[in-house]
Amino acid sequence: GHHVSSQRMRSRRRELRTRHDITSFAPQFISIYESLTPSEEEKEKQKQLLQSLEKLIIKEWPNAQLHLYGSCANSFGASSCDIDVCLAISDGEIDKSKILLRLAEILQSDNLQDVQALTRARVPIVKLKDPATGISCDICINNILAVVNTKLLRNYSQIDHRLRQLVIIVKHWAKSRGVNDTYQGTLSSYAYVLMCIHFLQLRRPAILPCLQEMQPTYMVTVDGIECAFFDQVQKLEHFGSVNRESIAELLWAFFSYWAYHHDYANNVISVRTGGIISKQSKDWTRRIGNDRHLICIEDPFELSHDLGRVVDKFTIKILREEFERAAEIMQYDPNPSVRLFEPY
Ligand code: GTP
Ligand code: MG
């Protein structure tokens, strides 16, 4: 008796969850999402820090501008995240290291903490911490492409609220599972955002359009790269509403796409085209230098830039195992909203 019933239990547990079943978990995921989003108070503190930095900087470089970029400006930041700032100085040829060192000097004498100039990093920056708010901040110079891609990401998030939910939950999962660290050979937050946008572009009916394939209303040329896209997103606020999928269904489908359906050997995901393109067409079929192209995520503007280039033959396994684990949990686990985020 016991044996039979436990077998029946087991087979029931392994029964495939349906769309309806999975949607019953949506409220749990929504409340996790809500607990992760920054408060108005926090946003206000960030703004104040930016303003005080602006005052300091304008004194030294009257024509300079400060731009926020990264997660504090693209709407995909969780609470207590650091802020990324770009100092735009337009006067022709400049010596970035010299400016960063001078900037560090200025900030230090204004009582900011832990001021540090990292002039030899891939993206040279000054780091600092504001003692009043505890907010940490990285300042880079003339990284205008990052400011523009931040705008693209933010504009996508304004079209359908499910993108922000999906990204914040996926980032939380990636951080909990240790797969959000480019220094360790896993993916950056920026890469995860592109994966989520791409995924929602490919839902049927689509939840997001492809802004770079539409008639452009925003155009800039940065470092010789033409960046053009449709940015009047308030006109697209009902775009995704025909698709009624819940956040729980989307998470389930997102993880199963990356676990079971993505063609790692041949395909590149491309937010720019709103579709899949071939590795062949980009000449990303072999290892060149340190770039391996084992998971291919095209940057929307720097077309030769593969955000997956940091992934190597060991970390691709780790990543894919984590996608499979997440997909399994979404499919079978009685408590997916707990198990998904268990520390590794
Ligand atoms: P968290 O700090 O983890 O909350 O996320 P974030 O959105 O700030 O992302 P991340 O620190 O990965 O990147 C900051 C910004 O740098 C991104 O929003 C992009 O605008 C820009 N960026 C451009 N190219 C790259 C790249 O190759 N790698 C990374 N990491 N960032 C890039
Ligand atoms: Mg950041």
Side-chain angles (χ1 to χ4, degrees):
H2 175 73
H3 181 72
V4 171
S5 79
S6 76
Q7 213 166 36
R8 193 183 301 139
M9 280 270 287
R10 194 148 53 232
S11 77
R12 190 162 64 208
R13 203 174 41 151
R14 300 301 288 189
E15 242 166 55
L16 278 187
R17 249 180 203 143
T18 64
R19 295 173 52 140
H20 174 77
D21 298 335
I22 192 73
T23 289
S24 68
F25 295 102
Q28 273 131 285
F29 285 108
I30 302 269
S31 68
I32 288 171
Y33 159 76
E34 282 169 352
S35 70
L36 293 168
T37 47
S39 63
E40 280 309 310
E41 192 190 337
E42 217 176 315
K43 295 253 108 190
E44 193 50 43
K45 281 185 188 165
Q46 293 181 348
K47 230 192 268 166
Q48 279 170 10
L49 175 58
L50 186 71
Q51 282 170 358
S52 59
L53 291 174
E54 229 153 22
K55 270 194 212 148
L56 283 175
I57 283 165
I58 296 299
K59 265 192 241 161
E60 178 82 13
W61 297 283
N63 297 321
Q65 282 177 309
L66 279 190
H67 300 284
L68 276 177
Y69 73 101
S71 60
C72 53
N74 65 18
S75 88
F76 303 120
S79 49
S80 67
C81 73
D82 301 349
I83 65 176
D84 298 304
V85 177
C86 169
L87 171 61
I89 295 187
S90 48
D91 20 328
E93 275 301 296
I94 54 156
D95 183 344
K96 279 193 193 178
S97 304
K98 218 168 119 186
I99 292 178
L100 285 171
L101 291 169
R102 176 72 190 123
L103 181 59
E105 219 170 71
I106 295 169
L107 297 169
Q108 218 135 32
S109 58
D110 197 67
N111 290 325
L112 287 154
Q113 279 175 342
D114 306 338
V115 178
Q116 217 182 349
L118 306 178
T119 54
R120 293 199 287 187
R122 191 182 60 87
V123 178
I125 52 169
V126 172
K127 293 175 95 56
L128 63 96
K129 191 170 173 173
D130 175 27
T133 56
I135 299 175
S136 297
C137 173
D138 291 351
I139 307 178
C140 66
I141 296 176
N142 285 356
N143 192 0
I144 308 300
L145 221 35
V147 177
V148 175
N149 70 38
T150 294
K151 173 177 161 60
L152 179 72
L153 268 41
R154 184 179 57 246
N155 285 153
Y156 272 115
S157 82
Q158 290 161 337
I159 299 171
D160 195 288
H161 66 280
R162 286 169 291 185
L163 174 61
R164 190 169 177 225
Q165 295 174 346
L166 184 65
V167 169
I168 289 201
I169 293 171
V170 166
K171 274 174 64 176
H172 181 50
W173 162 81
K175 286 180 205 288
S176 312
R177 302 299 302 170
V179 287
N180 180 204
D181 187 348
T182 51
Y183 291 103
Q184 305 255 25
T186 55
L187 299 170
S188 67
S189 297
Y190 180 56
Y192 283 110
V193 178
L194 294 173
M195 288 158 80
C196 291
I197 294 174
H198 180 260
F199 172 75
L200 297 185
Q201 285 175 325
L202 263 66
R203 297 313 284 166
R204 290 296 172 260
I207 294 180
L208 291 177
C210 174
L211 295 176
Q212 289 171 276
E213 295 265 280
M214 297 169 69
Q215 191 61 43
T217 52
Y218 173 83
M219 276 160 285
V220 284
T221 302
V222 182
D223 305 335
I225 299 172
E226 269 180 55
C227 306
F229 55 92
F230 183 78
D231 76 337
Q232 296 177 3
V233 286
Q234 63 289 354
K235 293 187 182 153
L236 297 172
E237 63 184 354
H238 300 298
F239 183 93
S241 61
V242 192
N243 182 315
R244 312 275 301 165
E245 288 174 299
S246 68
I247 183 59
E249 268 180 276
L250 293 171
L251 277 166
W252 180 43
F254 176 84
F255 288 123
S256 66
Y257 173 77
W258 286 101
Y260 311 120
H261 304 300
H262 181 69
D263 181 351
Y264 287 79
N266 299 302
N267 288 347
V268 176
I269 66 154
S270 163
V271 164
R272 170 182 62 100
T273 59
I276 298 275
I277 56 184
S278 71
K279 284 195 191 181
Q280 204 91 47
S281 72
K282 304 214 46 118
D283 201 20
W284 282 353
T285 48
R286 59 219 143 79
R287 173 174 172 174
I288 297 178
N290 256 341
D291 294 5
R292 293 170 181 86
H293 308 301
L294 300 175
I295 173 172
C296 294
I297 302 160
E298 180 191 57
D299 186 272
F301 301 118
E302 281 178 277
L303 304 190
S304 62
H305 195 34
D306 175 5
L307 277 313
R309 75 197 180 289
V310 290
V311 176
D312 63 34
K313 65 181 178 192
F314 301 106
T315 53
I316 187 68
K317 268 190 72 190
I318 294 174
L319 257 179
R320 294 186 62 170
E321 278 166 18
E322 284 299 331
F323 288 134
E324 280 168 36
R325 174 187 179 274
E328 284 262 314
I329 288 172
M330 293 304 292
Q331 184 65 267
Y332 301 111
D333 200 275
N335 267 315
S337 62
V338 177
R339 274 259 282 138
L340 202 57
F341 309 107
E342 263 172 17
Y344 62 105

